[in-house]
């Protein structure tokens, strides 16, 4: 898998290059937006995009990459720049990491996005989140928790279905609202919160839907494999509680 690293800090870029190579990826480095656009081609399989670049605005660059390619984009943003994340996701980025990030988190996100694009076709009949004992059946519009059907309303199921289409990837509130209610987000933001609270109460798995403050929600349960693969403990017995460490980090940085 060929990853384009867009990063103006040479030290960071070199370190990332080394980590990714060690993890079995091949990478290409670009130190600014112009180099990034030059390096982007049909072999590029993922873009890691630092939003703070010396020449082109990172959000603008994200939009320009997206205009040319459907390649997955993970942005790296500063801790305090919540608006950047929102704008970046609107501009077509798939996910983000907050600087300074743990490289294992980055590798987990890369694997989650890769899995999403290769192993979770949009027409998949069901999604099984093993860590939570939760199964989502799209055809029958049912959610099973430990084998038992949970009684969700139509809207609640629609929300779960949107999240389930992007497992382990943060879905902006705006996108959920657009897909569920077919409207603009501000008027429905509070309604979405209430529905998510109700879904959590009914499903009873607190860690299943993670709130990413200022951005949206993420369905967890798909990331631990990636963590363990990197750390060399592929056996299921070594799996950590899904999402636990990441959630703590995120709240501290919010
Ligand atoms: Ca930078």
């Amino acid at each position: 898998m060929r990853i384009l690293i867009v990063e103006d800090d040479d030290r960071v870029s070199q370190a990332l290059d080394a980590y990714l190579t060690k993890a079995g990826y091949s990478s290409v480095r670009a130190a600014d937006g112009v180099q990034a656009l030059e390096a982007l081609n049909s072999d590029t399989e993922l873009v890691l995009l630092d939003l703070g670049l010396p020449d082109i605005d990172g959000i603008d660059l994200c939009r320009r990459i997206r205009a040319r390619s459907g390649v997955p984009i993970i942005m790296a943003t500063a801790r305090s720049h919540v608006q950047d994340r929102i704008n970046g996701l609107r501009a077509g980025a798939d996910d983000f990491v907050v600087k300074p990030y743990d490289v294992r988190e980055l590798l987990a996100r890369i694997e989650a996005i890769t899995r999403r694009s290769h192993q979770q076709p949009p027409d998949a009949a069901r999604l099984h989140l093993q860590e939570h004992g939760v199964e989502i059946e799209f055809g029958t519009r049912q959610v099973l928790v430990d084998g038992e059907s949970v009684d969700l309303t139509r809207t609640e199921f629609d929300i779960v279905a949107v999240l389930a289409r992007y497992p382990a990837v943060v879905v902006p509130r705006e996108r959920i609202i657009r897909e569920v209610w077919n409207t603009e987000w501000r008027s429905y933001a509070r309604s979405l919160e209430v529905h998510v609270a109700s879904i959590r109460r009914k499903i009873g798995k607190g860690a299943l839907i993670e709130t990413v403050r200022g951005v949206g929600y993420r369905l967890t349960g798909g990331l631990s494999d990636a963590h363990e693969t990197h750390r060399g403990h592929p056996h299921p017995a070594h799996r950590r509680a899904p999402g636990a460490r990441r959630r703590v980090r995120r709240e501290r940085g919010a």
Side-chain angles (χ1 to χ4, degrees), residues 138-157:
F138 298 102
T140 57
R141 298 178 56 85
Q142 269 198 315
V143 174
L144 303 175
V145 179
D146 301 325
E148 298 280 322
S149 178
V150 174
D151 189 22
L152 297 182
T153 66
R154 166 173 287 272
T155 300
E156 286 166 357
F157 182 84

Side-chain angles (χ1 to χ4, degrees), residues 100-116:
Y101 53 83
D102 185 329
V103 73
R104 286 172 304 181
E105 179 184 359
L106 175 66
L107 290 172
R109 294 198 183 290
I110 291 171
E111 293 202 18
I113 283 190
T114 309
R115 202 163 32 218
R116 185 190 103 194

Side-chain angles (χ1 to χ4, degrees), residues 1-3 17 20-27 107 110-111 114:
M1 179 170 187
R2 202 173 101 142
I3 299 179
D17 194 4
L20 291 173
T21 303
K22 204 169 140 211
Y25 298 105
S26 75
S27 47
L107 290 172
I110 291 171
E111 293 202 18
T114 309

Side-chain angles (χ1 to χ4, degrees), residues 7-9 50 52-53 99:
E7 169 63 67
D8 59 315
D9 185 330
D50 173 34
L53 294 171
K99 284 181 151 189

Side-chain angles (χ1 to χ4, degrees), residues 5-242:
I5 303 170
V6 187
E7 169 63 67
D8 59 315
D9 185 330
D10 201 48
R11 227 164 15 105
V12 174
S13 173
Q14 267 183 24
L16 276 173
D17 194 4
Y19 273 122
L20 291 173
T21 303
K22 204 169 140 211
Y25 298 105
S26 75
S27 47
V28 175
R29 291 160 59 197
D32 58 35
V34 170
Q35 282 185 23
L37 290 170
E38 278 170 5
L40 181 73
N41 62 33
S42 56
D43 292 334
T44 311
E45 290 175 90
L46 187 139
V47 177
L48 178 61
L49 175 61
D50 173 34
L51 288 189
L53 294 171
D55 56 349
I56 304 176
D57 172 66
I59 304 290
D60 188 38
L61 179 59
C62 184
R63 207 172 284 120
R64 286 159 76 169
I65 292 171
R66 183 53 75 239
R68 277 176 48 185
S69 162
V71 67
I73 302 172
I74 300 178
M75 11 168 220
T77 75
R79 195 163 281 281
S80 54
H81 295 178
V82 175
Q83 192 60 41
D84 272 0
R85 282 167 233 163
I86 298 168
N87 293 342
L89 291 165
R90 282 180 184 159
D94 296 89
D95 204 353
F96 64 86
V97 285
V98 177
K99 284 181 151 189
Y101 53 83
D102 185 329
V103 73
R104 286 172 304 181
E105 179 184 359
L106 175 66
L107 290 172
R109 294 198 183 290
I110 291 171
E111 293 202 18
I113 283 190
T114 309
R115 202 163 32 218
R116 185 190 103 194
S117 36
H118 293 128
Q119 291 174 14
Q120 285 296 338
D123 59 350
R126 74 216 300 255
L127 178 68
H128 189 186
L129 300 161
Q130 253 167 335
E131 289 87 345
H132 300 296
V134 171
E135 286 172 85
I136 299 160
E137 297 193 351
F138 298 102
T140 57
R141 298 178 56 85
Q142 269 198 315
V143 174
L144 303 175
V145 179
D146 301 325
E148 298 280 322
S149 178
V150 174
D151 189 22
L152 297 182
T153 66
R154 166 173 287 272
T155 300
E156 286 166 357
F157 182 84
D158 286 344
I159 292 168
V160 170
V162 171
L163 295 176
R165 277 214 299 282
Y166 311 97
V169 174
V170 61
V171 184
R173 278 176 305 200
E174 184 189 32
R175 183 182 299 168
I176 301 170
I177 289 166
R178 201 189 309 123
E179 294 194 19
V180 172
W181 286 283
N182 193 26
T183 184
E184 286 313 310
W185 72 299
R186 290 192 183 280
S187 52
Y188 278 80
R190 178 71 191 136
S191 180
L192 176 60
E193 273 176 39
V194 173
H195 282 293
V196 169
S198 173
I199 293 165
R200 283 177 171 145
R201 205 164 45 240
K202 288 180 180 178
I203 291 181
K205 305 277 180 176
L208 178 71
I209 300 175
E210 176 190 0
T211 302
V212 181
R213 205 180 296 174
V215 180
Y217 299 95
R218 182 204 315 270
L219 207 59
T220 69
L223 276 176
S224 51
D225 286 343
H227 277 295
E228 300 308 337
T229 301
H230 173 64
R231 291 160 69 230
H233 299 297
H235 194 277
H238 294 284
R239 284 179 185 169
R240 79 172 89 237

